[in-house]
Structures are given as C-alpha cells and as structure tokens.
Amino acid sequence: SLSSRAEEMLQGSKRPHSPRAVLPMSSASTGEGRGGLWKEVRAAGAAMATTLRSALGLYTVTASEVHAEPPHYPWPHANPLGTFDHAAIRRGYLVYREVCAACHSMDMIAFRMLVDVAHTRAEMVEIAAAVDVEDGPDANGEMYQRPGRLPDIFPSPYPNDQAARAANNGALPPDLSLIINGRERSEDYVFSLLIGYAEPPAGVALREGLHYNPYFPGGSIAMARSLYDGMLDYDDGTPGTASQYARDVTTFLTWASLPEHDDRKRLGLKTLILVGVMIVVSGYHMTLRWAPLKTRKIRFVQQIEWSGRAMWHCTEFEQKEEEKNAE
C-alpha cells in the first residue's frame, strides 16, 4: 500500500549506508547524545502517526511528502552576535562559479556586491571582465557582446526557461539568489541535500534521469551529485573535500539571500548599546534630579492683612481646623 511504501522509504533514508557527512565546524553538528535520541524518537513517532492516519483514511501520504529531516548544524552566522565567515564566502563563490553556475542562475546578485565582502575591487574587476555580457542595441540596432563590469549581474547559463528545461530533461534549475530563504530549514537543508546523495534503498525504483537523495521531498531529484573530493583547489590551503565544498557554497548562498546580515547585526548592537546608555542616564536623572521635585511637599499659603501686620494661614486644612476650634 501507499502507506507501507512511504514508511519503507522513510526507514530506508535512515539506513547506515545513507551518508551523513559532518559539517567541519564542531562535533555538535552530528546531533549525537540526548538531542539526537530525542530527534530519532520524534521522527519515529511522526512516521507511526502518518501511517496510522493513512490506514484509517484520515490522511493520504504522497511520495513528495516523504523525506529525511536535515540535522541542525552550528553555523557561525546563526549566533545572535555571529557574522559570516567571509573566507568561506570567497571559497563558496569559487564553488558556485566553477560548479553550480553551469546550471543555476543568480539573477539578483551583481559582481559589485562581492567587493570588500569576499574579494578586493581589483579582483572583482578582473573576474567580471572574464565574462561576456550581452549589451545593446548599438548604433545599428544590433546586440553585441562586451566584457563584464562590476554593475552587471551574474550571467545566466540559459537564455530562457524553455532552454533550461530542454537541457535538464524537463526539470527547471531554480535560481539560487534566494534559495536559502525559500527552503524550510534554510542552510541546514541545502547543506544536507548537497552531501545526501546515496544509492536508493531496496524497493525504491527511480525513473531514468533521477537520483536518490533522502533529504529531497519524495527522495528522487533530477540534479545529479556535483561535489566530489579534490575537484577544486582552494588558494588558502583549505582541504578540498565534498563536505567542505558544500559548507562553503551554502555559506555563500546564505550571504546571497541575506547580504545585509552583518550590517543589520552591527546596527542592532550599536542600537542596544545606545539604548543601554540612555537607560542609565535616564535612571540617574530621574533619581538625582527629579526625585527631590517628585517627593517634596507643596504647601499653599494665603496672605491676609490684619492690624497692619501680615498673617499667614497655612493650607486649607489648617484653616478648617482653626474654624472648628473657634466654634
């Protein structure tokens, strides 16, 4: 049945042969210990609930809804005061330019945006000049090719969506400008997807041109595995492993989705510091300046001329008391 097939696919995605590469940050990324056990218990409970609802006819399981949950990785920029690893952005752009740009576009990112972020201005001018950009029309009304400049956006590998589908067996490679914002679990999902390719488990048949990846909804994806150990050399000496390539390009794509990330956190920190100073100054001013005025006793007096002398009767309450005593 469809429910047993879904449960089999979900169990197959958790078999030992499925790769779970460790993000080269810290051992906490593997999700071991009590947190990892709790995640396994929740996943098993969710699978049992899905199977039960399907058997009772309360819920219909489709193949596109069966996939493995990506683990959480300790990204440096995910901390409240953390910023991007700009060396990783530089390396990630290299991975995108040499590997991902063959199929995926980034229509919202220009060469100038990487200046003073991952490269110097001279480096980006040289990189942009190596790309041919279609411009025009010229004086004769014809389009022409020219070297790229800093304001130009990254070139698209295909002239239109129809050409992209024709070159990828009908699948349209998504634009990567906002891919991190557009996917649930953000960078954790993208990183897990890039390193999650494996042989399909027993009982799972894939159509021609599809590849098994337990982190992709449905388990079958048109994009083949593209990151392998040693395929690129980093100029800073960072080891060239598949997981390192995936980490760096994911960091680059996260920056592309949130280019103002570091500036926003810097502005927020300055705002918190300014607000803290204002709170201290305001508390001092209220305590030492306004406290005497807010706690003092104000008495109203009335001057009455009598027998050539000034007589002061203090407060209306005291006047009433004197009138009662006189009676």
Side-chain angles (χ1 to χ4, degrees), residues 2 6 18 20 37 39 52 56 77 118 138 143 189 226 229 247 268 289 315:
L2 184 59
S18 298
R20 294 179 65 86
L37 179 60
K39 290 183 180 179
L52 180 60
L56 296 177
H77 55 268
D138 57 12
M143 306 299 290
Y189 167 77
S226 55
D229 295 343
R247 174 188 182 274
R289 297 297 180 182
T315 71

mmCIF file of all heavy atoms in Angstrom, residues 2 6 18 20 37 39 52 56 77 118 138 143 189 226 229 247 268 289 315:
data_model
loop_
_atom_site.group_PDB
_atom_site.id
_atom_site.type_symbol
_atom_site.label_atom_id
_atom_site.label_comp_id
_atom_site.label_asym_id
_atom_site.label_seq_id
_atom_site.Cartn_x
_atom_site.Cartn_y
_atom_site.Cartn_z
ATOM 1 N N LEU A 2 0.218 2.372 -0.231
ATOM 2 C CA LEU A 2 0.978 3.637 -0.286
ATOM 3 C C LEU A 2 1.581 3.970 1.053
ATOM 4 O O LEU A 2 2.690 4.481 1.152
ATOM 5 C CB LEU A 2 0.057 4.765 -0.753
ATOM 6 C CG LEU A 2 0.740 6.137 -0.962
ATOM 7 C CD1 LEU A 2 1.851 5.998 -1.994
ATOM 8 C CD2 LEU A 2 -0.299 7.158 -1.414
ATOM 9 N N ALA A 6 5.525 4.423 1.886
ATOM 10 C CA ALA A 6 6.055 5.651 2.470
ATOM 11 C C ALA A 6 6.897 5.353 3.694
ATOM 12 O O ALA A 6 7.974 5.924 3.893
ATOM 13 C CB ALA A 6 4.911 6.593 2.844
ATOM 14 N N SER A 18 23.281 5.494 4.175
ATOM 15 C CA SER A 18 22.987 6.860 3.762
ATOM 16 C C SER A 18 24.036 7.793 4.328
ATOM 17 O O SER A 18 24.304 7.780 5.527
ATOM 18 C CB SER A 18 21.600 7.286 4.261
ATOM 19 O OG SER A 18 20.618 6.456 3.697
ATOM 20 N N ARG A 20 25.930 10.769 6.015
ATOM 21 C CA ARG A 20 25.626 11.873 6.920
ATOM 22 C C ARG A 20 26.940 12.546 7.253
ATOM 23 O O ARG A 20 27.513 12.360 8.337
ATOM 24 C CB ARG A 20 24.942 11.371 8.192
ATOM 25 C CG ARG A 20 23.564 10.792 7.949
ATOM 26 C CD ARG A 20 22.958 10.299 9.242
ATOM 27 N NE ARG A 20 22.721 11.387 10.166
ATOM 28 C CZ ARG A 20 21.646 12.127 10.193
ATOM 29 N NH1 ARG A 20 20.695 11.923 9.322
ATOM 30 N NH2 ARG A 20 21.502 13.085 11.091
ATOM 31 N N LEU A 37 18.954 11.460 20.151
ATOM 32 C CA LEU A 37 17.975 10.427 20.500
ATOM 33 C C LEU A 37 16.565 10.980 20.484
ATOM 34 O O LEU A 37 15.625 10.323 20.008
ATOM 35 C CB LEU A 37 18.326 9.859 21.880
ATOM 36 C CG LEU A 37 17.374 8.769 22.416
ATOM 37 C CD1 LEU A 37 17.364 7.581 21.477
ATOM 38 C CD2 LEU A 37 17.792 8.353 23.816
ATOM 39 N N LYS A 39 15.471 13.453 18.671
ATOM 40 C CA LYS A 39 15.075 13.656 17.279
ATOM 41 C C LYS A 39 14.645 12.342 16.639
ATOM 42 O O LYS A 39 13.674 12.294 15.871
ATOM 43 C CB LYS A 39 16.225 14.275 16.496
ATOM 44 C CG LYS A 39 16.521 15.730 16.863
ATOM 45 C CD LYS A 39 17.629 16.286 15.998
ATOM 46 C CE LYS A 39 17.916 17.740 16.357
ATOM 47 N NZ LYS A 39 19.020 18.294 15.527
ATOM 48 N N LEU A 52 -0.634 5.525 10.651
ATOM 49 C CA LEU A 52 -1.944 5.272 11.257
ATOM 50 C C LEU A 52 -3.029 6.110 10.603
ATOM 51 O O LEU A 52 -4.116 5.605 10.287
ATOM 52 C CB LEU A 52 -1.877 5.568 12.761
ATOM 53 C CG LEU A 52 -3.169 5.344 13.563
ATOM 54 C CD1 LEU A 52 -3.596 3.888 13.451
ATOM 55 C CD2 LEU A 52 -2.973 5.750 15.011
ATOM 56 N N LEU A 56 -6.307 4.662 8.450
ATOM 57 C CA LEU A 56 -7.683 4.987 8.819
ATOM 58 C C LEU A 56 -8.377 5.860 7.782
ATOM 59 O O LEU A 56 -9.539 6.209 7.940
ATOM 60 C CB LEU A 56 -7.703 5.704 10.179
ATOM 61 C CG LEU A 56 -7.209 4.869 11.371
ATOM 62 C CD1 LEU A 56 -7.212 5.723 12.634
ATOM 63 C CD2 LEU A 56 -8.075 3.622 11.558
ATOM 64 N N HIS A 77 27.256 32.216 11.634
ATOM 65 C CA HIS A 77 26.403 33.389 11.495
ATOM 66 C C HIS A 77 25.040 33.214 12.145
ATOM 67 O O HIS A 77 24.253 34.168 12.198
ATOM 68 C CB HIS A 77 26.203 33.718 10.011
ATOM 69 C CG HIS A 77 25.670 32.562 9.213
ATOM 70 N ND1 HIS A 77 26.488 31.672 8.559
ATOM 71 C CD2 HIS A 77 24.405 32.149 8.978
ATOM 72 C CE1 HIS A 77 25.756 30.763 7.945
ATOM 73 N NE2 HIS A 77 24.478 31.027 8.184
ATOM 74 N N ALA A 118 34.162 39.479 -0.102
ATOM 75 C CA ALA A 118 34.988 38.289 -0.294
ATOM 76 C C ALA A 118 36.198 38.558 -1.173
ATOM 77 O O ALA A 118 37.146 37.777 -1.153
ATOM 78 C CB ALA A 118 34.154 37.167 -0.908
ATOM 79 N N ASP A 138 23.345 48.615 -30.368
ATOM 80 C CA ASP A 138 24.340 49.613 -30.758
ATOM 81 C C ASP A 138 23.735 50.582 -31.751
ATOM 82 O O ASP A 138 22.503 50.647 -31.916
ATOM 83 C CB ASP A 138 25.577 48.924 -31.322
ATOM 84 C CG ASP A 138 25.241 48.017 -32.504
ATOM 85 O OD1 ASP A 138 24.094 48.101 -33.026
ATOM 86 O OD2 ASP A 138 26.107 47.221 -32.912
ATOM 87 N N MET A 143 22.456 43.763 -31.050
ATOM 88 C CA MET A 143 23.036 43.429 -29.757
ATOM 89 C C MET A 143 24.481 42.984 -29.961
ATOM 90 O O MET A 143 24.843 42.455 -31.018
ATOM 91 C CB MET A 143 22.236 42.312 -29.081
ATOM 92 C CG MET A 143 20.748 42.607 -28.958
ATOM 93 S SD MET A 143 20.379 44.075 -27.962
ATOM 94 C CE MET A 143 20.830 43.466 -26.333
ATOM 95 N N TYR A 189 19.087 22.543 5.282
ATOM 96 C CA TYR A 189 18.520 21.723 4.204
ATOM 97 C C TYR A 189 19.431 21.703 2.992
ATOM 98 O O TYR A 189 19.693 20.633 2.407
ATOM 99 C CB TYR A 189 17.143 22.259 3.816
ATOM 100 C CG TYR A 189 16.614 21.695 2.521
ATOM 101 C CD1 TYR A 189 16.093 20.411 2.462
ATOM 102 C CD2 TYR A 189 16.673 22.447 1.347
ATOM 103 C CE1 TYR A 189 15.621 19.884 1.263
ATOM 104 C CE2 TYR A 189 16.210 21.931 0.149
ATOM 105 C CZ TYR A 189 15.688 20.653 0.108
ATOM 106 O OH TYR A 189 15.238 20.134 -1.076
ATOM 107 N N SER A 226 27.126 16.680 -7.572
ATOM 108 C CA SER A 226 28.076 17.542 -8.281
ATOM 109 C C SER A 226 29.323 17.863 -7.483
ATOM 110 O O SER A 226 30.231 18.504 -8.025
ATOM 111 C CB SER A 226 27.380 18.858 -8.678
ATOM 112 O OG SER A 226 26.816 19.487 -7.543
ATOM 113 N N ASP A 229 35.351 14.927 -3.686
ATOM 114 C CA ASP A 229 36.620 15.268 -3.045
ATOM 115 C C ASP A 229 37.682 15.582 -4.094
ATOM 116 O O ASP A 229 37.849 14.854 -5.087
ATOM 117 C CB ASP A 229 37.104 14.113 -2.169
ATOM 118 C CG ASP A 229 36.176 13.853 -0.983
ATOM 119 O OD1 ASP A 229 35.362 14.748 -0.662
ATOM 120 O OD2 ASP A 229 36.259 12.756 -0.394
ATOM 121 N N ARG A 247 29.770 23.088 2.529
ATOM 122 C CA ARG A 247 29.690 24.105 3.582
ATOM 123 C C ARG A 247 29.964 25.493 3.016
ATOM 124 O O ARG A 247 29.258 26.461 3.316
ATOM 125 C CB ARG A 247 30.692 23.780 4.689
ATOM 126 C CG ARG A 247 30.778 24.861 5.761
ATOM 127 C CD ARG A 247 31.920 24.586 6.710
ATOM 128 N NE ARG A 247 32.000 25.575 7.764
ATOM 129 C CZ ARG A 247 32.640 26.727 7.677
ATOM 130 N NH1 ARG A 247 33.264 27.038 6.548
ATOM 131 N NH2 ARG A 247 32.661 27.577 8.692
ATOM 132 N N GLY A 268 22.165 46.716 14.979
ATOM 133 C CA GLY A 268 21.406 46.326 16.164
ATOM 134 C C GLY A 268 22.237 46.385 17.426
ATOM 135 O O GLY A 268 21.751 46.806 18.481
ATOM 136 N N ARG A 289 17.767 63.999 40.013
ATOM 137 C CA ARG A 289 17.277 65.305 39.586
ATOM 138 C C ARG A 289 15.786 65.466 39.841
ATOM 139 O O ARG A 289 15.348 66.477 40.398
ATOM 140 C CB ARG A 289 17.567 65.504 38.089
ATOM 141 C CG ARG A 289 19.045 65.509 37.758
ATOM 142 C CD ARG A 289 19.777 66.658 38.417
ATOM 143 N NE ARG A 289 21.196 66.658 38.084
ATOM 144 C CZ ARG A 289 22.062 67.536 38.574
ATOM 145 N NH1 ARG A 289 21.657 68.458 39.443
ATOM 146 N NH2 ARG A 289 23.327 67.470 38.233
ATOM 147 N N THR A 315 -2.324 76.364 54.474
ATOM 148 C CA THR A 315 -3.163 75.281 53.930
ATOM 149 C C THR A 315 -4.612 75.405 54.327
ATOM 150 O O THR A 315 -4.951 75.915 55.400
ATOM 151 C CB THR A 315 -2.651 73.883 54.356
ATOM 152 O OG1 THR A 315 -2.910 73.715 55.722
ATOM 153 C CG2 THR A 315 -1.189 73.702 54.053
#
